[in-house]
Amino acid sequence: MTTTAVRTPRAVPHRGSDVMNERFKVAPRYGAAPPRPEDACRVGMMRRIAAARLRYCGLEAMTGEVMSIVSELLTNALLHSGTTEISLSISVKDGTLRIAVRDGMPGSAEPKAADDNAESGRGLMLVEAMVRESGGTWGTSDAGDTTWCCLPVPQEQR
């Protein structure tokens, strides 16, 4: 008896298709208190779900970059918004992968220079650099409740 491995065809996202759309509840933060451990763990869970969805859609070449961006944007929302719910959506449309993190709180995500000894504060600068390097764009919605970025999908994965 022999066993043959068969590779299942991947669902390549079509124009306007969602790769993932998730939301989760968090406890609001006040002052400098750290987030609850279970809320901080959700960032890692969302990273892993995003990576799995990208692989499923045949976009594994973008996994490293997207995981870093997802991690930074979710962490930023968790640490700085004071929200009780965060959503992450990833979609593909017209050769562009769009990542959006919504915290429902007005404000503006702006990269700031961090002190050399600071343990945090470089996330949005990292997002900006990765997006610029890939030829994409990023920003915050007019209401300030969503931070997004758009990355070009490599030609061979369209």
Side-chain angles (χ1 to χ4, degrees):
M1 178 177 198
T2 58
T3 303
T4 304
V6 177
R7 187 174 185 154
T8 306
R10 295 181 183 207
V12 177
H14 298 287
R15 183 179 174 165
S17 73
D18 285 340
V19 173
M20 74 179 284
N21 197 350
E22 300 286 333
R23 66 179 182 203
F24 55 94
K25 298 279 187 194
V26 295
R29 290 185 59 242
Y30 302 102
R36 296 181 314 170
E38 57 268 32
D39 292 341
C41 285
R42 286 188 174 86
V43 173
M45 285 183 351
M46 291 298 111
R47 280 172 44 104
R48 289 187 294 280
I49 291 169
R53 294 297 301 158
L54 289 170
R55 280 191 304 277
Y56 178 76
C57 292
L59 298 170
E60 56 273 336
M62 300 181 78
T63 301
E65 188 173 36
V66 170
M67 285 181 64
S68 295
I69 291 169
V70 163
S71 182
E72 294 301 337
L73 295 183
L74 287 174
T75 299
N76 195 59
L78 181 63
L79 292 177
H80 303 294
S81 70
T83 191
T84 59
E85 184 175 274
I86 299 172
S87 67
L88 166 65
S89 64
I90 301 175
S91 59
V92 175
K93 182 177 181 182
D94 298 330
T96 300
L97 182 124
R98 183 176 195 272
I99 303 165
V101 172
R102 183 178 189 279
D103 59 30
M105 304 296 281
S108 181
E110 305 257 343
K112 296 178 181 119
D115 182 302
D116 287 344
N117 297 322
E119 293 181 14
S120 66
R122 295 172 186 84
L124 291 178
M125 290 179 72
L126 176 63
V127 168
E128 183 176 57
M130 288 187 331
V131 169
R132 187 179 332 118
E133 179 71 23
S134 73
T137 57
W138 82 282
T140 303
S141 66
D142 290 340
D145 63 348
T146 304
T147 303
W148 56 269
C149 67
C150 294
L151 306 170
V153 174
Q155 190 66 36
E156 64 274 6
Q157 292 191 318
R158 292 186 189 182

